[in-house]
Amino acid sequence: MIDIHSHILPEMDDGSGNIQESIEMARKAVEQGITDIIATPHYIKGKYENDKEKVEEETRKLNQVLDEMDIPLKVWPGQEIRISDVLIDDYDNNKIMGLNASRYILLELPLNHVPRYMERLIYDLQMKRMTPIIAHPERNLEIIKNPQLLKELIWKGAYSQITAGSITGKFGWRTKRFSKFLVHSGLTHFIASDSHNVGNRGFQIREANKIIEKSFGKDAVNGFKENAENVLYGKRVKELLFH
Ligand SMILES: [Fe+2]
């Protein structure tokens, strides 16, 4: 199984605090049945400026440690990029990258609203042959109030990724209900851990998959798994519709 969103690299952001914690996280990931994980440290201007080069270097180092310790997990480089009006400049300047250098780029919205320049940003990225994946839309306050906003972004060609913990109820029953609504409406394409540590922000993908299987069937679980694989290998992502 592949996890396309994690903060497993040490000392980059509010995720893993040190290499020991990264190793523990890797062990937990393996327990979940994860074989490949994309490290997506935050890239936020003025806060966490984890550029492409740094992420690639840290990914290489972590893989080396895991290899030496015989932990069967492969880490691939990526970023979770907070949207900004200079995002395209950052792309042009090689500061940001797609997930495992694919055309799929993981974007983070502010928590409380969807900036009006978002549609333009999707278009500008598409002009660069990039496809945005919107991270955890189920936690954006404006999308919760008006899911049509997400639908419009998806019509424009974006994909979306729900956090496993949102499905399991970690962020409350409202988030859980809304996440299931997004799956049911075909408004999401990926389930990922967004794991930050071995404590309260762990993996939960296996638990989320059980709930998805119960509500939407085995095909739904397989669809999400295949899409994560398609991202890692730069293949075409599938639309998913389950009723
Ligand atoms: Fe994240």
Side-chain angles (χ1 to χ4, degrees), residues 190 219 221-231 236-238:
F190 309 95
D219 284 354
V221 175
N222 289 337
F224 286 123
K225 283 184 181 171
E226 276 171 34
N227 269 350
E229 214 173 293
N230 292 336
V231 161
R236 207 183 156 88
V237 164
K238 289 180 189 155

Side-chain angles (χ1 to χ4, degrees), residues 34-226:
I34 295 167
T35 55
D36 297 81
I37 189 165
I38 305 183
T40 53
H42 289 290
Y43 180 89
I44 304 176
K45 284 295 224 190
K47 193 175 179 190
Y48 299 123
E49 299 204 358
N50 296 307
D51 65 20
K52 178 176 186 275
E53 203 181 324
K54 187 176 171 194
V55 174
E56 285 174 340
E57 173 65 10
E58 293 301 318
T59 301
R60 193 189 58 75
K61 282 196 217 161
L62 182 57
N63 272 321
Q64 199 174 351
V65 172
L66 298 181
D67 199 38
E68 281 163 13
M69 300 187 76
D70 276 332
I71 297 173
L73 180 74
K74 181 90 178 122
V75 187
W76 304 90
Q79 289 158 312
E80 177 179 16
I81 302 153
R82 173 69 62 88
I83 60 164
S84 78
D85 50 7
V86 293
L87 192 143
I88 296 294
D89 293 337
D90 283 343
Y91 181 77
D92 289 340
N93 293 325
N94 226 11
K95 298 277 180 204
I96 58 175
M97 69 192 296
L99 297 172
N100 192 25
S102 70
R103 65 188 170 97
Y104 300 107
I105 188 162
L106 185 66
L107 301 185
E108 183 188 38
L109 297 169
L111 264 187
N112 56 357
H113 73 296
V114 179
R116 294 298 161 250
Y117 64 80
M118 191 60 191
E119 284 195 12
R120 173 71 204 221
L121 182 60
I122 291 173
Y123 177 80
D124 287 345
L125 282 167
Q126 287 167 332
M127 288 296 103
K128 307 267 176 198
R129 298 189 177 281
M130 297 301 280
T131 303
I133 298 175
I134 299 165
H136 39 67
E138 77 281 8
R139 295 173 59 202
N140 179 281
L141 297 181
E142 205 178 351
I143 291 175
I144 294 167
K145 270 190 235 151
N146 181 11
Q148 183 69 21
L149 277 175
L150 179 63
K151 201 170 188 176
E152 281 161 16
L153 299 179
I154 285 168
W155 278 345
K156 301 282 175 199
Y159 293 121
S160 92
Q161 169 259 307
I162 284 180
T163 297
S166 297
I167 299 279
T168 61
K170 188 154 200 60
F171 299 100
W173 66 268
R174 282 190 181 88
T175 305
K176 179 172 178 169
R177 189 179 62 181
F178 187 58
S179 300
K180 286 170 94 173
F181 164 78
L182 293 181
V183 174
H184 177 79
S185 310
L187 293 178
T188 198
H189 311 80
F190 309 95
I191 306 292
S193 75
D194 194 10
S195 54
H196 278 66
N197 51 46
V198 283
N200 65 338
R201 295 288 301 276
F203 287 91
Q204 299 214 334
I205 295 190
R206 206 170 46 186
E207 294 81 354
N209 282 344
K210 274 186 196 150
I211 294 170
I212 290 168
E213 184 172 345
K214 211 169 153 194
S215 303
F216 304 101
K218 189 85 188 151
D219 284 354
V221 175
N222 289 337
F224 286 123
K225 283 184 181 171
E226 276 171 34

